[in-house]
Amino acid sequence: MFTKILIANRGEIACRVIKTARKMGLFTVAVYSEADREAMHVELADESVHIGPAPSRESYLVADKIIDAAKTTGAQAIHPGYGFLSENEDFARRVEEEGLVFIGPKHHSIAAMGDKIASKKLALGAKVNTIPGYNDVIESPEAAVRIARDIGYPVMIKASAGGGGKGLRVAFNDKEASEGFASCRHEAKAAFGDDRVFIEKFVENPRHIEIQVLGDAFGNVVYLNERECSIQRRHQKVIEEAPSPFISEATRKAMGEQAVALARAVNYQSAGTVEFVVGKDQRFYFLEMNTRLQVEHPVTECITGLDLVELMIRVAAGEKLPFAQQDVRRDGWAIECRINAEDPERNFLPSTGRLVRYLPPPVTMQAAAPRPAGGGVRVDTGVYEGGEIPLYYDSMIAKLIVHASDRAQAIARMREALNGFVVRGISSNIGFQSALLAHPGFAAGDFDTGFVSEHFAHGFRAADVPHDDPLFLVALAAFVRRKARERSTGISGQVVGHGATNRPDLAVVVLRPDGRHEHHAVRVENFDARAARADVVIAERRFEIRSPTKLGDILVTGTCNGKPFSAQIERGSAKHPLGIRVAHNGLQIEALVLLPRAAELLKLMPHKAPPDSSKFLLSPMPGLLVDVSVQPGQKVVAGERLAVIEAMKMENILTATRDGEVKEVLAKRGESLAVDQPILAFA
């Protein structure tokens, strides 16, 4: 066994590997870029080595710097995590040639599976079900259109070296096939240095289900059940769970056996994942093999009780797998939500900056530790309150994982955990995750990879999320306001006869995004400051609320009519400085709590329309302006490409929303843009 390993990665996966290494008694070495000098993984490791500037191409992607760091510190092995160099066959070979151990599959296995075209041919040879398609290199848009017609629309155009949703387009006609081919080649060249693409049949209403495999150097290969990864946005996974609520036991077994056959065909020695697309009839087809640890590996760890990182390290050290296929467990249900730094109400664009507040829910499960009886909550993260979310890397803040005895309990536990997850300073997708979990289709297990685009086709607004009892949020706003008023009446120095008073009758005015106001007559009765309780009556409904949470705390916990709750409440909102923002189960309201007379007067106030920005192209996110495609005086048509912004390793193309003429270019290529910064002005 090794005594010291280097982790060639950053963020939550670096922290995850360090925890297992510490459990095994191994010393760890972290590497970091200039942007990560104060990152959590640097603090957790026993040693750390600075490897260059913030851009990953100058630091985390430079193999020489990683290998030099390992040699300098005396590390005997390198764990690549995922992303960066984890599926780079040249890096794995270099590590081996330098006398170090790559904690992952052998370079020949990475090469075989890393090339999507070659892997399809290998899968066919191993008698693994494959999707109809064209698996040779395509040279031109014209050839792409011809091939797409032969296969039959819709088709999927994919980069051969792609992954993580990059270099992937779905085409439903000739125009989309031609444009998608060009976009895929450009994006693949930028992201992977390889612009080869292939085309395959797009399976409609597909499920994305993957099989976790594990092999050693002695020919032993097992599968560790499946993960359901169909809840995706732009081909990137949002929620993962294990097991799948869809497939049968027979399908599970058949998929597992085919995954093992493919792993054996390439002499696979480590943890890996074989991804399948599954149709409504449960017919399944090989999609690709990821020759690394997956982001969603914790759900497999929860249901099997295995530490996948430890098994990777032991296999790399030459040990045999300590169990056989018949020993693999499937216990309970696990769900993982990816908590990302993105703004769902701005079409999920990246959000970077400082984590002003970061308070995850109480953790009862730990990575690299036995799962407690009854399951619990686990948070894998690489951030901390006050830290930065830089624009150079991916958008992940944390992974929130829950385990319970069945799916319904796991969903309930996850919803409560999301209610208690506080992130401020940047935008996050926590509210969107809550909305997904609350959707009847998700609860019933009735979804496919198009679920998000179907049900959130017009984007996401937290004010529009259906809620079991939206009046509960109104009652909470009134309760918090009443607590604040109680404190005001106790402040010394008030003039006799003119001090603050409390009245039971109030009005809660919900401020809708479209400018409409919803007025609710509220009565707060039986308020008891010592017991931190009150009865809030709305439309003859009584909400008995008890909450000892201090004023000013964002996370508010307590009970309502005897049932526990967690919600997030803040005074002062984007719509009004005296407003109260309340969030629970994905729904968010902004409200004013007023005396009835003040609420009546508010009805007379005109709605202030937002400023007209129609004559400007504004940056929808912070990022790097990599291209401006138009010039002053140029006429453009709706849908025409105007500019490209790069943020968190993704290119975002900005297009014209209507016909017009460019008056002025206000930002330059290479400029770092802020949110809503003007890029173009139109005549």
Side-chain angles (χ1 to χ4, degrees), residues 203-434:
V203 179
E204 297 189 76
N205 303 119
R207 308 281 288 226
H208 184 125
I209 299 175
E210 59 190 32
I211 302 291
Q212 177 73 59
V213 296
L214 191 64
D216 63 21
F218 302 90
N220 301 306
V221 184
V222 297
Y223 68 91
L224 307 180
N225 302 306
E226 83 283 1
R227 294 185 290 258
E228 172 71 73
C229 304
S230 299
I231 301 296
Q232 302 180 3
R233 185 189 59 75
R234 296 176 184 167
H235 308 292
Q236 292 185 309
K237 300 163 190 173
V238 179
I239 297 177
E240 301 99 347
E241 57 184 311
S244 167
F246 174 66
I247 65 173
S248 66
E249 197 63 45
T251 303
R252 176 178 291 113
K253 184 173 185 292
M255 291 176 70
E257 289 174 349
Q258 288 199 15
V260 167
L262 182 61
R264 289 189 188 280
V266 293
N267 189 26
Y268 200 83
Q269 301 173 30
S270 191
T273 298
V274 181
E275 300 193 349
F276 293 94
V277 59
V278 185
K280 290 188 293 186
D281 56 1
Q282 298 216 15
R283 292 185 181 181
F284 59 90
Y285 307 94
F286 170 70
L287 195 60
E288 63 183 356
M289 184 175 187
N290 290 309
T291 53
R292 54 171 168 79
L293 194 65
Q294 291 280 87
V295 174
E296 58 272 20
H297 75 273
V299 294
T300 296
E301 293 183 325
C302 285
I303 66 167
T304 61
L306 300 172
D307 183 336
L308 293 182
V309 175
E310 178 178 356
L311 290 166
M312 290 181 73
I313 293 172
R314 292 194 179 281
V315 166
E319 297 184 16
K320 286 185 178 180
L321 290 180
F323 55 86
Q325 187 64 58
Q326 61 268 25
D327 302 317
V328 176
R329 295 159 41 193
R330 193 173 78 246
D331 179 22
W333 212 282
I335 300 176
E336 174 181 296
C337 285
R338 301 189 186 194
I339 309 303
N340 293 333
E342 58 191 20
D343 191 343
E345 300 202 15
R346 283 178 172 261
N347 198 26
F348 300 93
L349 291 172
S351 178
T352 60
R354 186 173 299 281
L355 279 166
V356 176
R357 292 297 305 275
Y358 176 75
L359 179 65
V363 171
T364 55
M365 296 191 303
Q366 294 284 353
R371 174 177 52 76
V377 177
R378 166 177 160 182
V379 177
D380 286 10
T381 188
V383 304
Y384 55 88
E385 188 168 290
E388 291 275 348
I389 302 294
L391 61 84
Y392 304 99
Y393 314 117
D394 64 62
S395 63
M396 186 174 291
I397 299 171
K399 299 184 309 196
L400 178 60
I401 308 106
V402 301
H403 182 270
S405 59
D406 58 37
R407 189 169 188 265
Q409 289 187 30
I411 291 174
R413 181 166 284 169
M414 179 61 83
R415 292 182 72 184
E416 190 64 15
L418 287 167
N419 283 335
F421 206 134
V422 177
V423 173
R424 294 294 185 273
I426 59 171
S427 297
S428 79
N429 64 339
I430 289 174
F432 177 64
Q433 294 277 18
S434 295

Side-chain angles (χ1 to χ4, degrees), residues 83-150:
F84 293 137
L85 298 171
S86 62
E87 292 181 283
N88 187 304
E89 61 168 304
D90 292 332
F91 178 65
R93 182 189 294 109
R94 280 282 314 279
V95 170
E96 295 168 10
E97 291 172 350
E98 295 289 344
L100 303 169
V101 176
F102 183 76
I103 303 176
K106 299 301 180 184
H107 66 84
H108 55 78
S109 300
I110 297 175
M113 290 292 101
D115 187 310
K116 302 299 185 294
I117 295 174
S119 68
K120 298 283 184 185
K121 296 177 180 178
L122 275 167
L124 282 169
K127 298 183 178 179
V128 176
N129 301 346
T130 58
I131 302 174
Y134 187 86
N135 294 328
D136 288 318
V137 177
I138 302 167
E139 299 293 346
S140 68
E142 293 76 19
V145 169
R146 185 173 62 253
I147 292 165
R149 287 176 178 173
D150 291 342

Side-chain angles (χ1 to χ4, degrees), residues 388-500:
E388 291 275 348
I389 302 294
L391 61 84
Y392 304 99
Y393 314 117
D394 64 62
S395 63
M396 186 174 291
I397 299 171
K399 299 184 309 196
L400 178 60
I401 308 106
V402 301
H403 182 270
S405 59
D406 58 37
R407 189 169 188 265
Q409 289 187 30
I411 291 174
R413 181 166 284 169
M414 179 61 83
R415 292 182 72 184
E416 190 64 15
L418 287 167
N419 283 335
F421 206 134
V422 177
V423 173
R424 294 294 185 273
I426 59 171
S427 297
S428 79
N429 64 339
I430 289 174
F432 177 64
Q433 294 277 18
S434 295
L436 289 172
L437 289 163
H439 196 284
F442 181 84
D446 182 16
F447 52 81
D448 55 39
T449 56
F451 184 83
V452 171
S453 59
E454 176 185 352
H455 295 287
F456 297 90
H458 302 293
F460 171 81
R461 292 200 308 182
D464 297 334
V465 174
H467 193 280
D468 295 338
D469 190 359
L471 284 183
F472 167 63
L473 281 74
V474 175
L476 270 181
F479 176 79
V480 170
R481 178 59 178 157
R482 180 64 175 81
K483 285 184 71 173
R485 289 292 298 174
E486 185 69 20
R487 184 177 63 179
S488 297
T489 60
I491 295 176
S492 62
Q494 300 190 61
V495 178
V496 177
H498 299 278

